[in-house]
C-alpha cells in the first residue's frame, strides 16, 4: 500500500550573526510540519475522531493515538516556581567595554571584542504564573551568560537589598508573603495580615520595605528597571588577588515607575502588560539595553564602610563607592517557545566561572543549596542541565550518569576516575592550575548558631533611602504604607509597623499612622520588642542621589515611549502630521485614538486611520497624550465623556499632555483654556503644554514636548488628588 507523503519539520534558518547559543538551540528547534504524526512518527489519518465500537458506540481502549495525546496533555505542566513563578525572558548578548584583568580572570570579562550569549528572565516574586504583571512586588532580574568556560548565572532582583539576613528565615518570609493558607487569598499581594505580621516582628526587613513601598516595586517596564546582584561577591584575578564586588544593571532607557492607581488599573486591563511590552519592543527591533556596573572594594578595606558588606539588607552607596560601567547587554531575540525556554530555564547563583567567587553572606550561602534542590523537584531530576536552554555552549564531560530525562548517550565501560580501563588521562586532575579555584580563606571561628553583631543595625540604611527621595517619592512611599496597612485587619500589627518606622524617620511614621485608626507611633515600644537591635552605624553620608528615581539627570531620550493622539472628524491634518512625524523621528510610538474604528475625516477631507477607540484603550497604556487642533474635532472630543476622562486620567497620573490650538478645549475640565486677554495659550502646570500654529511650525512645541516626555512623569504636578480616579 502506498503511504502518503509527509513533510518533515525543518530547523529554522539562522541569521549570519547567530550566537553560539542560537546555533546550539537550532539542533533542538523545528518549524511546524504539514502532517500530524504520533510521537513515534506514525502518520495520523484522523485527528478529530477517537476509535469507537460503531459510530455511536463506546470509545475503545485500543485507541493508542487517543491515549498518547491525552496522556501527554495531562502531563504538560510542571510544578511552577515557588517564587518568581510569573516571568518573561529574552535572548541577547553581553559585550565588555574594557578588560577587567586587573580584578578577575573570568574569561568573558577579558576581551572587549567578544560577544557572550545571554538569556535573561524577569519575574514577579509573590504571585502565581497566572497573576498580573503590575502588582506591587520585587522583580527578579536573572542573567545566564553562556561563556566559553561554562554557564555563569547572575541571579538578582530590581532592588539591591533583601528582607532577611539569614536564609533560614526564607521559608517563613515566603509563607507570610504568599496567599494565606486557609483561603488562598490575596494573590500576588503583600497587603494582608500575615506578611505585615511577619515583617513587623523582623526589624531587619525595614530597609527592604522602604524600597518595596517605593515606585521601584511598580516599574513602568522591565526595560526601564535596574538590576542588582544583591549579595557581595568576589572577583579573583589570575594572581589570586581578591576584591569584593557588587553587580548593577543600569537600563539605557532610564529608571521609571508607574503611578499606583495606574498599576492597579493596568492589572485589570492587561495582566500581561510587562510581558507584552518586552516582547513587542524586541519584535519591532527596539532592543532593550543595560550597562553592567560594578562596585569594587579592595579586600581589607571593607571595614571602612562602617557596615558589614555581608549583610544583604545593606547596600553600598554609589556616592561612597562609585559604580564602574564595564559592559553592555542587549536583548535582541524573543524565545521560540515559552515553555521550552522561559519556563524550563534553571538559574543558580552557584553557577560560577573561574575569577568569580562567593562570600560568606548567610543568605547567599542558603541560596546555594536551595536552587539546586528546587530544580530537582521542578524539572524532574538531576539532568536539568541537559535541557537545551540550560545547556552550556562549551563542552562538558564528567562521570555523572543516568537519572530521569538523561539525554546524552555516554559510550564506554568506565564511569569513574581514576581508571586504567579507559584513557583516564583527561580526568586526572589533582589541583592543577586550570579550572575553578575557591578563594582560600582562613576560618578559625567555632561552630555557632548566632548572628554577627555587625548585622544589628536595621534602620540606618532605611533612613538613608528615605532621606534620598524627592518630596513626591516620599509621598508615594507614605501612600503605599497607608494602603498596605489599611488592608491589615489586626490593629496591633499596624501599630507595630509604624512603631518600627519611627526608628527610620519620625515624620514618616506619623504620616503613615495618621489615617490608620491606631495610636501615634511609639519608638520606645518598638525598641522593647523581641528581635529589636538598638544599634546604629555611623553614617558617612545622609543621602545618596542614586537611590532616587526622580533625582537622575534628565535626558532627551523618548525612544519607545507610547503617545496617544486623540482625534475626531475635523482634526487639523497639518498639525497632526507634523507632530506625529516628529515624534516618530524621535523614536516614540504614536497611536491614533478616535471615537470609533475606521477612517477619520480631517478638516481637509483626507482620511486618517484610527488605531484604537476610547472604549478599547485608556490613558494608562500610554506615556503621553497629544491633542491636535481642529475646531470640529475638539468640539466632538469635548462632548465625549470617555475622551475627557482619558485626558483627566493622564493628568492624574502626571503624564505629559500637549494640546494645539482648538485642542486645548479638551482641557477645559481642568481649567486650561485660551487667555481671553490676548488669545495666547497658557501653561498652568508641569507637563501641560499648550501651543498654537506658530509654536508648532517653528519646532518650539516639539522641543518642549520631548523634554517633558523625557522626564517620564511630572510628580510635582498640582492638584492631582482633585481628579477623580
Amino acid at each position: 500500500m502506498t503511504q502518503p507523503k509527509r513533510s518533515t519539520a525543518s530547523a529554522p534558518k539562522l541569521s549570519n550573526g547567530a550566537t553560539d547559543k542560537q546555533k546550539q538551540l537550532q539542533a533542538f528547534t523545528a518549524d511546524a510540519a504539514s502532517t500530524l504524526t504520533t510521537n513515534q512518527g506514525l502518520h495520523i489519518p484522523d485527528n478529530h475522531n477517537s476509535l469507537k465500537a460503531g459510530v455511536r458506540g463506546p470509545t475503545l481502549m485500543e485507541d493508542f493515538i487517543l491515549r498518547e495525546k491525552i496522556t501527554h496533555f495531562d502531563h504538560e505542566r510542571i510544578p511552577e516556581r515557588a517564587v518568581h513563578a510569573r516571568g518573561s525572558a529574552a535572548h541577547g548578548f553581553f559585550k565588555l567595554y574594557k578588560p577587567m584583568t586587573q580584578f578577575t580572570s573570568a574569561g568573558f570579562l577579558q576581551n572587549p571584542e567578544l560577544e557572550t550569549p545571554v538569556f535573561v528572565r524577569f519575574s514577579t516574586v509573590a504571585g502565581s504564573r497566572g497573576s498580573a504583571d503590575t502588582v506591587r512586588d520585587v522583580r527578579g532580574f536573572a542573567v545566564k551568560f553562556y561563556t566559553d568556560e561554562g554557564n555563569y548565572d547572575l541571579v538578582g532582583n530590581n532592588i539591591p537589598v533583601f528582607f532577611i539576613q539569614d536564609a533560614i528565615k526564607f521559608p517563613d518570609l515566603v509563607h507570610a508573603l504568599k496567599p494565606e493558607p486557609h483561603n488562598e487569598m490575596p494573590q500576588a499581594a503583600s497587603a494582608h495580615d500575615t506578611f505585615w505580621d511577619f515583617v513587623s516582628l523582623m526589624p531587619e526587613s525595614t530597609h527592604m520595605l522602604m524600597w518595596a513601598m517605593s515606585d521601584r516595586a511598580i516599574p513602568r517596564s522591565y526595560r526601564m528597571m535596574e538590576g542588582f546582584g544583591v549579595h557581595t561577591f568576589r572577583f579573583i584575578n589570575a594572581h589570586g588577588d581578591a576584591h569584593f564586588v557588587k553587580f548593577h544593571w543600569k537600563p539605557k532607557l532610564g529608571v521609571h515607575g508607574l503611578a499606583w492607581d495606574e498599576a492597579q488599573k493596568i492589572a485589570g486591563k492587561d495582566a500581561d502588560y510587562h510581558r507584552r511590552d518586552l516582547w513587542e519592543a524586541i519584535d519591532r527591533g527596539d532592543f532593550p539595553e543595560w550597562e553592567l556596573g560594578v562596585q569594587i572594594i579592595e579586600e581589607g578595606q571593607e571595614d571602612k564602610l562602617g557596615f558589614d558588606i555581608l549583610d544583604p539588607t545593606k547596600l553600598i552607596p554609589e556616592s561612597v563607592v562609585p559604580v564602574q560601567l564595564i559592559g553592555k547587554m542587549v536583548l535582541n531575540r524573543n524565545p521560540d517557545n515559552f515553555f521550552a525556554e522561559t519556563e524550563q530555564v534553571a538559574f543558580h547563583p552557584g553557577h560560577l566561572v573561574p575569577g568569580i567567587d562567593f562570600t560568606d553572606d548567610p543568605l547567599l550561602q542558603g541560596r546555594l543549596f536551595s536552587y539546586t534542590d528546587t530544580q530537582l523537584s521542578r524539572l524532574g531530576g538531576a539532568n536539568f542541565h541537559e535541557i537545551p536552554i540550560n545547556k552550556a555552549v562549551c563542552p562538558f564531560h564528567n562521570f555523572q550518569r543516568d537519572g530521569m530525562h538523561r539525554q546524552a548517550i555516554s559510550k564506554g565501560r568506565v564511569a569513574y576516575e581514576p581508571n586504567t580501563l579507559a584513557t583516564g588521562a583527561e580526568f586526572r586532575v589533582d589541583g592543577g592550575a586550570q579550572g575553578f579555584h575557591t578563594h582560600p580563606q582562613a576560618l578559625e571561628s567555632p561552630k555557632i548558631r548566632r548572628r554577627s553583631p555587625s548585622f544589628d543595625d536595621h534602620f540606618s540604611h532605611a533612613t538613608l533611602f528615605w532621606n534620598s527621595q524627592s518630596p513626591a517619592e516620599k509621598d508615594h512611599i507614605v501612600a503605599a504604607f497607608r494602603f498596605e496597612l489599611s488592608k491589615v485587619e489586626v490593629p496591633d500589627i499596624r501599630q507595630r509597623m509604624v512603631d518600627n518606622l519611627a526608628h527610620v524617620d519620625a515624620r514618616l511614621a506619623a504620616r503613615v499612622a495618621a489615617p490608620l485608626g491606631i495610636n501615634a507611633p511609639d519608638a520606645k515600644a518598638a525598641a522593647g520588642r523581641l528581635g529589636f537591635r538598638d544599634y546604629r552605624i555611623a553614617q558617612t553620608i545622609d543621602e545618596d542621589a542614586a537611590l532616587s528615581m526622580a533625582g537622575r539627570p534628565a535626558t532627551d531620550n523618548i525612544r519607545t515611549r507610547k503617545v496617544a493622539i486623540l482625534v475626531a472628524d475635523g482634526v487639523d491634518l497639518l498639525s497632526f502630521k507634523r507632530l506625529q512625524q516628529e515624534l516618530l523621528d524621535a523614536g516614540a510610538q504614536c497611536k491614533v485614538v478616535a471615537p470609533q474604528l475606521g477612517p477619520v475625516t480631517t478638516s481637509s477631507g483626507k482620511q486618517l486611520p484610527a488605531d484604537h477607540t476610547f472604549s478599547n484603550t485608556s490613558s494608562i497604556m500610554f506615556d503621553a497624550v497629544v491633542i491636535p487642533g481642529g475646531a470640529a474635532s475638539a468640539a466632538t472630543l469635548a462632548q465625549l465623556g470617555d475622551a475627557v476622562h482619558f485626558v483627566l486620567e493622564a493628568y492624574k497620573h502626571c503624564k505629559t499632555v500637549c494640546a494645539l490650538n482648538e485642542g486645548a478645549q479638551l482641557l477645559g475640565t481642568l481649567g486650561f483654556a485660551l487667555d481671553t486677554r490676548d488669545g495666547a495659550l497658557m501653561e498652568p502646570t508641569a507637563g501641560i503644554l499648550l501651543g498654537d500654529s506658530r509654536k508648532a511650525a517653528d519646532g518650539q512645541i516639539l522641543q518642549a514636548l520631548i523634554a517633558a516626555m523625557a522626564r517620564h512623569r511630572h510628580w510635582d504636578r498640582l492638584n492631582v488628588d482633585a481628579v477623580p480616579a
Side-chain angles (χ1 to χ4, degrees):
M1 181 178 178
T2 303
Q3 295 290 328
K5 291 184 178 180
R6 303 200 298 263
S7 64
T8 57
S10 60
K13 292 183 179 179
L14 292 172
S15 65
N16 292 332
T19 66
D20 291 342
K21 189 62 186 177
Q22 284 177 260
K23 295 172 183 176
Q24 184 194 65
L25 289 174
Q26 187 192 29
F28 303 93
T29 306
D31 292 325
S34 59
T35 303
L36 293 178
T37 73
T38 68
N39 288 334
Q40 311 307 316
L42 182 69
H43 174 68
I44 299 174
D46 186 346
N47 191 46
H48 296 271
N49 300 287
S50 54
L51 186 65
K52 306 178 188 68
V55 294
R56 300 186 71 246
T59 299
L60 299 176
M61 287 295 294
E62 173 187 332
D63 191 352
F64 64 95
I65 295 174
L66 168 69
R67 293 204 316 273
E68 180 192 87
K69 187 175 181 181
I70 294 296
T71 298
H72 193 280
F73 171 78
D74 290 343
H75 295 266
E76 277 182 358
R77 302 276 69 84
I78 61 176
E80 70 174 35
R81 293 167 169 86
V83 287
H84 298 276
R86 181 172 180 83
S88 187
H91 294 272
F93 65 88
F94 171 79
K95 194 167 184 178
L96 194 67
Y97 290 156
K98 58 182 181 180
M100 297 299 292
T101 311
Q102 177 186 354
F103 301 106
T104 175
S105 61
F108 78 104
L109 297 178
Q110 305 302 309
N111 182 5
E113 299 301 315
L114 177 68
E115 288 190 355
T116 302
V118 299
F119 189 70
V120 182
R121 186 176 185 269
F122 307 101
S123 56
T124 53
V125 173
S128 68
R129 285 189 59 207
S131 57
D133 280 351
T134 58
V135 295
R136 180 176 295 280
D137 198 357
V138 184
R139 298 306 187 285
F141 195 128
V143 182
K144 185 179 291 292
F145 298 82
Y146 301 98
T147 86
D148 294 337
E149 299 176 294
N151 290 351
Y152 170 54
D153 292 352
L154 181 52
V155 195
N157 289 329
N158 74 323
I159 291 174
V161 293
F162 204 62
F163 290 102
I164 52 175
Q165 296 173 328
D166 194 301
I168 200 169
K169 296 306 297 177
F170 189 72
D172 298 298
L173 167 68
V174 176
H175 288 168
L177 175 60
K178 284 284 190 176
E180 298 187 9
H182 65 303
N183 60 15
E184 189 63 11
M185 294 187 293
Q187 179 59 245
S190 56
H192 58 103
D193 286 57
T194 59
F195 174 74
W196 288 98
D197 182 40
F198 176 80
V199 295
S200 68
L201 297 168
M202 296 286 290
E204 67 197 68
S205 299
T206 308
H207 186 200
M208 179 67 166
L209 288 173
M210 298 298 295
W211 285 79
M213 296 301 109
S214 77
D215 293 345
R216 299 279 189 153
I218 42 173
R220 160 62 179 84
S221 165
Y222 289 140
R223 302 176 294 117
M224 303 172 188
M225 182 175 86
E226 281 187 294
F228 303 90
V230 179
H231 309 286
T232 301
F233 294 88
R234 279 189 175 94
F235 271 166
I236 315 293
N237 66 17
H239 305 291
D241 303 321
H243 290 78
F244 293 111
V245 60
K246 289 271 196 180
F247 293 105
H248 298 245
W249 291 108
K250 303 285 189 183
K252 295 293 288 278
L253 293 177
V255 184
H256 305 297
L258 298 170
W260 177 229
D261 175 68
E262 182 181 30
Q264 294 177 92
K265 290 175 177 176
I266 292 174
K269 294 271 188 179
D270 184 4
D272 301 304
Y273 183 74
H274 285 152
R275 282 181 166 188
R276 193 183 315 281
D277 174 84
L278 179 66
W279 182 280
E280 291 181 348
I282 295 172
D283 200 45
R284 64 175 178 262
D286 288 322
F287 302 142
E289 299 180 1
W290 289 261
E291 290 182 295
L292 178 61
V294 292
Q295 289 175 296
I296 296 176
I297 305 99
E298 186 176 347
E299 200 167 50
Q301 300 298 308
E302 66 273 16
D303 292 340
K304 296 181 180 179
L305 295 171
F307 58 90
D308 197 326
I309 63 170
L310 301 184
D311 181 353
T313 68
K314 305 292 191 300
L315 53 81
I316 302 174
E318 294 187 30
S319 58
V320 176
V321 180
V323 173
Q324 303 178 45
L325 300 177
I326 65 170
K328 182 174 72 172
M329 179 173 71
V330 180
L331 300 184
N332 59 4
R333 187 168 71 88
N334 283 314
D336 291 312
N337 183 278
F338 183 92
F339 178 83
E341 298 172 85
T342 307
E343 191 65 14
Q344 289 197 122
V345 68
F347 294 95
H348 192 320
H351 292 165
L352 297 179
V353 291
I356 302 175
D357 204 351
F358 312 120
T359 62
D360 295 336
D361 176 338
L363 181 64
L364 174 59
Q365 294 286 316
R367 292 180 73 195
L368 298 179
F369 166 77
S370 178
Y371 279 70
T372 299
D373 197 45
T374 195
Q375 310 301 6
L376 295 175
S377 171
R378 193 173 68 83
L379 296 172
N383 290 311
F384 60 84
H385 63 284
E386 295 194 36
I387 297 172
I389 192 63
N390 296 321
K391 196 171 183 180
V393 296
C394 63
F396 61 92
H397 193 190
N398 53 53
F399 287 135
Q400 296 167 13
R401 291 291 188 269
D402 305 338
M404 293 180 67
H405 312 304
R406 180 74 173 179
Q407 304 296 307
I409 301 174
S410 303
K411 296 191 296 183
R413 67 188 292 193
V414 170
Y416 57 89
E417 187 277 329
N419 68 77
T420 61
L421 298 180
T423 66
E426 77 261 42
F427 293 101
R428 194 73 214 192
V429 180
D430 292 316
Q434 292 186 328
F436 181 84
H437 290 266
T438 297
H439 180 64
Q441 180 182 350
L443 299 173
E444 298 180 357
S445 300
K447 295 179 184 178
I448 188 168
R449 196 178 290 277
R450 192 176 300 169
R451 202 166 297 189
S452 170
S454 59
F455 281 38
D456 281 351
D457 181 5
H458 297 149
F459 301 107
S460 292
H461 278 209
T463 301
L464 174 64
F465 182 81
W466 171 254
N467 291 342
S468 303
Q469 304 303 295
S470 68
E473 288 173 312
K474 288 181 176 180
D475 290 343
H476 296 175
I477 292 171
V478 169
F481 271 116
R482 286 174 172 177
F483 174 87
E484 296 271 320
L485 293 175
S486 72
K487 297 287 188 177
V488 172
E489 297 177 358
V490 179
D492 285 351
I493 297 174
R494 291 181 240 142
Q495 189 69 56
R496 279 203 308 268
M497 196 60 237
V498 299
D499 291 348
N500 286 348
L501 290 178
H503 290 269
V504 177
D505 185 271
R507 290 164 297 180
L508 162 66
R511 291 177 64 187
V512 171
L516 296 179
I518 55 178
N519 297 325
D522 187 347
K524 291 182 178 179
R529 296 188 183 108
L530 190 67
F532 188 90
R533 302 288 187 270
D534 192 11
Y535 171 70
R536 289 272 181 153
I537 60 177
Q539 293 274 68
T540 57
I541 55 172
D542 294 324
E543 55 186 82
D544 186 349
L547 300 178
S548 168
M549 296 167 68
R552 297 167 183 272
T555 68
D556 59 356
N557 185 0
I558 62 168
R559 189 166 64 87
T560 77
R561 304 286 178 87
K562 295 182 69 174
V563 183
I565 305 178
L566 312 188
V567 305
D569 288 340
V571 64
D572 178 55
L573 182 62
L574 185 62
S575 65
F576 168 84
K577 283 289 187 184
R578 181 181 288 119
L579 266 182
Q580 182 192 47
Q581 190 57 54
E582 288 171 335
L583 286 167
L584 291 172
D585 291 343
Q589 299 174 58
C590 297
K591 298 294 181 181
V592 178
V593 184
Q596 69 258 342
L597 291 177
V600 174
T601 304
T602 68
S603 56
S604 60
K606 301 285 187 180
Q607 300 294 298
L608 192 67
D611 299 302
H612 298 286
T613 69
F614 291 103
S615 61
N616 75 4
T617 193
S618 92
S619 74
I620 59 177
M621 301 301 179
F622 298 91
D623 297 296
V625 178
V626 171
I627 313 161
S633 174
T636 299
L637 294 176
Q639 294 301 312
L640 187 63
D642 286 344
V644 174
H645 177 72
F646 198 103
V647 177
L648 287 172
E649 191 174 52
Y651 181 89
K652 184 177 183 67
H653 297 151
C654 301
K655 296 175 180 178
T656 298
V657 180
C658 175
L660 297 180
N661 296 320
E662 299 91 349
Q665 293 179 29
L666 196 55
L667 301 175
T669 308
L670 294 168
F672 307 149
L674 288 170
D675 187 328
T676 55
R677 294 171 296 176
D678 57 11
L681 290 162
M682 306 298 291
E683 299 175 15
T685 191
I688 301 297
L689 307 175
L690 306 178
D692 52 24
S693 301
R694 178 184 56 81
K695 286 186 177 181
D698 63 14
Q700 288 185 48
I701 197 68
L702 176 69
Q703 293 174 12
L705 178 57
I706 290 176
M709 287 177 59
R711 289 187 58 189
H712 182 64
R713 302 293 174 121
H714 305 274
W715 298 121
D716 53 348
R717 181 172 290 168
L718 302 173
N719 300 322
V720 293
D721 292 337
V723 179

